[in-house]
Amino acid sequence: MVRRIYLDHAATTPMRPEAVTAVIEGMARWANPSSPHGEGRAARRALEDARGRIAAALDWDGEVILTSGASEALAIALRGAGQVETIATTVEHDAVFRVAEGDDRLPVGADGLLDTADRSRLLAAFDPREATNRFAIQSANSETGVLQPLDRIDAGRREESIGRPITLVADCSQSAGKLALPPADLIVVSAHKLGGPPGIGALLVRDLSLLTPTGGQEQGYRGGTENLPGALGFAAALEAPRDWFDAIGTLRTVLDAVIRAGGGEVVADAAPRIPTIAAYRMPGRSAAAQLMRFDSLGFAVSAGSACSSGTLKTSHVLAAMGMDATAAAEVIRVSFGWTTTKDEVERFADAWTAMAVR
């Protein structure tokens, strides 16, 4: 039997055992946290304790709104308060574009980075007539791992935004729990990307006046029964040891070198990238062919292009970086997590080299 090696942690990573235990315990004592009876009040206390632990683990001193995941958190953040104009880069997740459909897009360079030196272009994208301008940007790109310079972006928008309020929305789905949170007004976090359970995430809020209340739970900013087991698992995953993260950087660097030596291309090689995500191009072999072959060899990886309704489409991220359709269709994504070992990366490197040679 082929030994399976999972290298698709950017899609979702296995739950930490601490998170599994916490979810099971939460299910065993489940009651609706909004119920007024003793069981409900106990569930409320546990929920608020988990909320506080999530904030503490992320070193966040603002509000924490628990959501069903990053997509809902983005929707709440970009819905805003009153009239909102959302600006996003051309390499954002589709969850941003679904909410900010038709709004302006800021281009990135071939390295996947926003040009923070071009202040005039950045500010020209915002409409001073809008009551609120919102700038949505990923901390770490989910396809290439490119890290945007959010410190410089934050400093620039503060210098230039007099009379033109700009709210910074940072999508930290891939980086939260791994890297320090960036300076931003609204921060999106996903539990299942960092070893927590699926079906829960959070919107970290600096000032609740930035949001529109819709009624229901979470201080009136989202409806639906609170997910106590999920919140407990989320907190436990964030509190788990993170010593694995430093080792991943070394493994990714070694794999990058193997790809280059084998005639491959490391996408956004010169840009700062989160250690857990890499995009590799194998010239002359389609991503679809690579995925099928790697899967047959026991490796779970994903494509740099998205499959929709059975039709392989060019990745909008790679296209925005100026990669032509043929090259983009030869890119796969390899992503690492807390279960990834040196032996697994070495085995994948050998398999990639063998495929490239053939």
Side-chain angles (χ1 to χ4, degrees):
M1 180 178 293
V2 176
R3 174 192 166 192
R4 300 293 301 177
I5 293 176
Y6 186 76
L7 295 173
D8 195 22
H9 293 265
T12 192
T13 200
M15 282 181 66
R16 301 275 319 195
E18 303 92 332
V20 173
T21 299
V23 169
I24 292 173
E25 291 178 352
M27 288 181 171
R29 59 174 176 166
W30 167 249
N32 191 322
S34 294
S35 296
H37 46 62
E39 290 81 358
R41 295 196 303 274
R44 170 60 62 182
R45 287 193 296 273
L47 180 72
E48 295 310 317
D49 179 69
R51 192 192 309 275
R53 290 164 56 199
I54 290 167
L58 291 170
D59 195 24
W60 180 253
D61 59 2
E63 301 286 345
V64 177
I65 296 177
L66 296 174
T67 68
S68 62
S71 293
E72 185 189 19
L74 280 166
I76 295 172
L78 299 181
R79 187 167 58 231
Q83 187 69 26
V84 173
E85 170 75 8
T86 298
I87 308 300
T89 75
T90 52
V91 294
E92 297 308 304
H93 194 279
D94 282 340
V96 169
F97 297 150
R98 284 195 292 269
V99 179
E101 183 179 1
D103 287 343
D104 289 337
R105 308 279 183 263
L106 290 173
V108 298
D111 56 5
L113 290 168
L114 179 71
D115 183 3
T116 56
D118 190 357
R119 295 279 181 82
S120 60
R121 186 168 192 172
L122 175 62
L123 268 297
F126 293 95
D127 188 343
R129 295 170 298 178
E130 300 291 349
T132 306
N133 282 300
R134 208 140 293 206
F135 183 24
I137 186 167
Q138 277 184 329
S139 169
N141 187 267
S142 55
E143 291 190 32
T144 64
V146 169
L147 291 165
Q148 295 291 349
L150 285 174
D151 286 348
R152 294 202 301 273
I153 291 170
D154 176 60
R157 59 110 183 198
R158 291 183 185 280
E159 291 173 10
E160 305 280 1
S161 63
I162 298 175
R164 192 183 295 195
I166 300 174
T167 299
L168 185 57
V169 181
D171 179 0
C172 295
S173 302
Q174 297 291 348
S175 61
K178 301 161 191 169
L179 301 175
L181 295 177
D185 304 298
L186 300 165
I187 297 178
V188 170
V189 183
S190 172
H192 76 101
K193 306 287 189 183
L194 50 83
I200 189 163
L203 178 63
L204 310 183
V205 185
R206 185 64 64 192
D207 181 354
L208 287 173
S209 69
L210 295 171
L211 303 180
T212 301
T214 57
Q217 288 74 18
E218 294 300 304
Q219 301 187 65
Y221 292 97
R222 79 172 294 263
T225 300
E226 298 96 333
N227 182 357
L228 173 59
L232 293 171
F234 192 178
L238 281 168
E239 292 168 345
R242 303 184 197 180
D243 51 355
W244 61 271
F245 185 73
D246 293 334
I248 289 299
T250 300
L251 295 180
R252 209 280 311 279
T253 298
V254 170
L255 182 55
D256 284 356
V258 170
I259 300 298
R260 293 190 207 98
E265 177 185 347
V266 180
V267 177
D269 199 359
R273 294 174 292 143
I274 193 167
T276 49
I277 300 176
Y280 300 124
R281 178 188 170 212
M282 186 185 293
R285 179 164 290 220
S286 72
Q290 292 179 61
L291 293 187
M292 288 188 289
R293 179 59 179 160
F294 281 128
D295 191 46
S296 71
L297 294 173
F299 297 98
V301 294
S302 62
S305 51
C307 187
S308 177
S309 302
T311 302
L312 200 64
K313 300 190 302 182
T314 301
S315 160
H316 74 274
V317 171
L318 300 179
M321 294 168 62
M323 188 174 288
D324 65 56
T326 299
E330 297 169 342
V331 175
I332 65 169
R333 181 185 68 183
V334 181
S335 49
F336 317 95
W338 67 274
T339 62
T340 304
T341 66
K342 181 174 181 285
D343 176 68
E344 290 177 338
V345 175
E346 289 175 343
R347 285 173 179 264
F348 178 79
D350 290 342
W352 193 96
T353 300
M355 190 185 303
V357 169
R358 286 198 297 271

